[in-house]
Amino acid sequence: MKHKLTVDFLAGLFLLVNFNVCSTSAEITVDPPADLRVTDPGHLGHLHISWARPSSLENVTDCSVRFELQYFNTYEDRWTVIRTVRLKYSTHFDLEKDVHVKVWTLLRGPCVNNTELQSPPAEVILQPPDKGTSPRVSGFTCVFYQKEFMDCTWEARGGEASQAQDHLFYWHSEMGQAMECPEYIESDGFRTGCRFPKEVLEEFTDFNICVNGTSAAGPMRAAYFTLQIQNHVKPATVETLSLDALPNGNTLLTWSPPGGKIPNHCLEFEVESKEDGVLGENLHKYITRETSYTSAVQGQPKTSCFRVRSRVHQFCADKSFWSEWSHQRCLAESTKKDVSAMKVGQVCVLALCAVTLFAFPLYLWNCKRKVKNQEWFLSSSFTKWGLLGCNQGLSPPSVEKLIHHLSQDEVQPFKQGQAV
């Protein structure tokens, strides 16, 4: 009985507390942000979003006030959510589509019994400006050549718009206001592109572009583009290429990095090798960050040909363009055999030179030893003649005669120090 009373008491206490909290929460409401605005400063899609704190929360000090911003990202086709205590935010929008922004007030703390309350949203929807009287430009492409200049081109307009004159404007975060193309590219008297020098470009930031135009029929439909120019780099063509046959039958291909302002450590290379053999043509491709490639022997190809191209690798940019292929270098099998034979001949010559260099000092030493022995022989022979001939009144013999007639037996006793 006592246990049942305790349970009933606790249940009643819980319901009472829960009722009071709910009642208190129900009495508190949070107003949405005031004066929500989306303004276009003329930065070709980079818009400013601003709002104000609701007047009902101006004097609230015991609760924290935050805001939740949501905007529809048309590039990713989803809502992006930002929570902040600030009253403004800037981001990029595609001005060819609706701009949709919502902001909520978030209140948390003792004033709401340490819960978090959310207001209804403040909302703004902006529709794109007048779409014009003709389709937007098509085939728009930008290429950042060797990081030295960038060309953005588009297809010429057709139909009634063929006589329109296009205009390009650009902006990035280091610019105060949008500027018009510094140098137009023309075809048959009409603008089909824009060339940007390196001085007006900025990497690793949004580069916003708008292409619009005018014609006799009225304004043309504007087209907006946003890019990161470091992802549009195209290196120059590899010019210096060397191909050598190795003694083991392999082929060594070496090259120099292309010119331009791209750091060498940001480049990767694709090597294409083509072998024309008895069984037909074999094509192989290999990607490397080195500037050399060794091709192993594959059967007995009649001819091996190679070419190289380059691009910026993934650690320096999210994507890039491949350069044009280098000129092709080829090596015939007969050349490989001749080179191999020449290499073998060179090895033999080097070995012969080494043996000669080693044997020549030995030969000189042997010659010197023989000369000394000959001098000793002559000296000994004349000494012997002096002991014999002078005592017997003989005339001195010639050196040749002594060498010819004196036998080893005659000289030997004297060499050994024996008496005559």
Side-chain angles (χ1 to χ4, degrees), residues 376-377 380-381 383-385 388 401-420:
W376 173 85
F377 172 77
S380 301
S381 299
T383 301
K384 184 174 181 181
W385 174 85
L388 297 175
K401 188 174 182 181
L402 282 173
I403 295 174
H404 179 72
H405 291 288
L406 288 176
S407 65
Q408 185 67 22
D409 293 334
E410 293 175 325
V411 178
Q412 189 67 25
F414 182 76
K415 290 175 61 179
Q416 296 178 356
Q418 297 176 2
V420 179

Side-chain angles (χ1 to χ4, degrees), residues 91-370:
T91 189
H92 188 79
F93 291 89
D94 183 356
L95 295 185
E96 296 184 64
K97 300 178 181 178
D98 289 352
V99 175
H100 198 172
V101 177
K102 298 179 181 180
V103 182
W104 288 263
T105 303
L106 304 177
L107 187 63
R108 185 186 184 93
C111 67
V112 288
N113 297 314
N114 294 317
T115 60
E116 183 173 75
L117 296 183
Q118 185 179 51
S119 73
E123 186 174 7
V124 168
I125 300 176
L126 299 179
Q127 293 183 341
D130 186 5
K131 295 183 178 181
T133 58
S134 68
R136 65 197 295 274
V137 295
S138 58
F140 185 85
T141 305
C142 293
V143 181
F144 192 10
Y145 292 97
Q146 302 103 51
K147 286 196 173 185
E148 294 179 344
F149 64 93
M150 183 172 73
D151 283 354
C152 292
T153 58
W154 56 88
E155 296 176 2
R157 298 179 187 264
E160 296 180 357
S162 60
Q163 301 301 314
Q165 193 65 283
D166 290 313
H167 301 271
L168 181 145
F169 298 89
Y170 69 98
W171 179 88
H172 57 73
S173 59
E174 297 299 317
M175 299 173 59
Q177 60 183 3
M179 302 289 290
E180 190 170 0
C181 169
E183 180 184 352
Y184 282 108
I185 300 171
E186 296 186 356
S187 176
D188 297 328
F190 293 95
R191 296 169 180 171
T192 57
C194 175
R195 173 161 294 178
F196 299 90
K198 180 68 171 71
E199 293 72 26
V200 304
L201 300 175
E202 189 72 21
E203 297 184 52
F204 300 100
T205 188
D206 285 341
F207 194 87
N208 300 337
I209 294 174
C210 173
V211 181
N212 56 23
T214 56
S215 68
M220 316 296 292
R221 180 180 174 183
Y224 294 89
F225 309 93
T226 298
L227 55 138
Q228 297 259 331
I229 65 173
Q230 74 277 358
N231 295 329
H232 293 257
V233 175
K234 183 176 183 177
T237 305
V238 174
E239 297 289 347
T240 306
L241 211 64
S242 178
L243 190 61
D244 297 295
L246 301 177
N248 60 0
N250 293 345
T251 304
L252 176 63
L253 177 70
T254 58
W255 60 89
S256 298
K261 297 183 179 180
I262 306 172
N264 291 343
H265 67 268
C266 284
L267 290 172
E268 66 180 4
F269 303 91
E270 183 177 30
V271 180
E272 182 184 84
S273 63
K274 183 172 64 175
E275 297 177 347
D276 185 12
V278 177
L279 300 179
E281 183 179 278
N282 291 323
L283 188 66
H284 304 280
K285 292 186 178 182
Y286 176 75
I287 294 180
T288 178
R289 293 182 191 168
E290 305 296 330
T291 54
S292 63
Y293 170 72
T294 301
S295 176
V297 178
Q298 300 289 337
Q300 295 295 328
K302 296 179 180 179
T303 305
S304 299
C305 296
F306 301 85
R307 60 179 185 171
V308 180
R309 63 179 182 174
S310 65
R311 69 178 176 186
V312 177
H313 61 64
Q314 61 182 346
F315 295 107
C316 290
D318 293 334
K319 56 184 179 179
S320 66
F321 294 102
W322 281 108
S323 72
E324 301 299 326
W325 285 106
S326 69
H327 59 278
Q328 190 170 256
R329 287 277 188 176
C330 297
L331 199 64
E333 183 62 25
S334 57
T335 305
K336 292 184 180 181
K337 292 180 179 179
D338 293 342
V339 171
S340 299
M342 183 177 65
K343 296 290 185 181
V344 172
Q346 290 175 350
V347 171
C348 292
V349 170
L350 291 175
L352 182 60
C353 291
V355 171
T356 302
L357 291 175
F358 175 77
F360 187 67
L362 184 61
Y363 171 76
L364 291 178
W365 176 81
N366 190 43
C367 290
K368 186 176 181 181
R369 184 179 62 83
K370 289 182 178 181

Side-chain angles (χ1 to χ4, degrees), residues 28-104:
I28 299 177
T29 58
V30 182
D31 292 329
D35 198 21
L36 175 61
R37 296 183 181 182
V38 179
T39 56
D40 184 358
H43 295 165
L44 311 181
H46 191 80
L47 306 183
H48 295 334
I49 306 170
S50 63
W51 59 91
R53 188 167 176 160
S55 58
S56 59
L57 298 179
E58 287 294 336
N59 298 322
V60 173
T61 58
D62 55 347
C63 276
S64 64
V65 180
R66 295 187 301 162
F67 302 94
E68 181 176 302
L69 164 68
Q70 293 188 15
Y71 65 91
F72 190 74
N73 190 329
T74 55
Y75 297 102
E76 300 180 3
D77 197 28
R78 65 181 181 85
W79 287 90
T80 299
V81 180
I82 305 293
R83 286 198 172 191
T84 179
V85 296
R86 298 178 180 273
L87 299 175
K88 60 182 179 180
Y89 187 79
S90 297
T91 189
H92 188 79
F93 291 89
D94 183 356
L95 295 185
E96 296 184 64
K97 300 178 181 178
D98 289 352
V99 175
H100 198 172
V101 177
K102 298 179 181 180
V103 182
W104 288 263

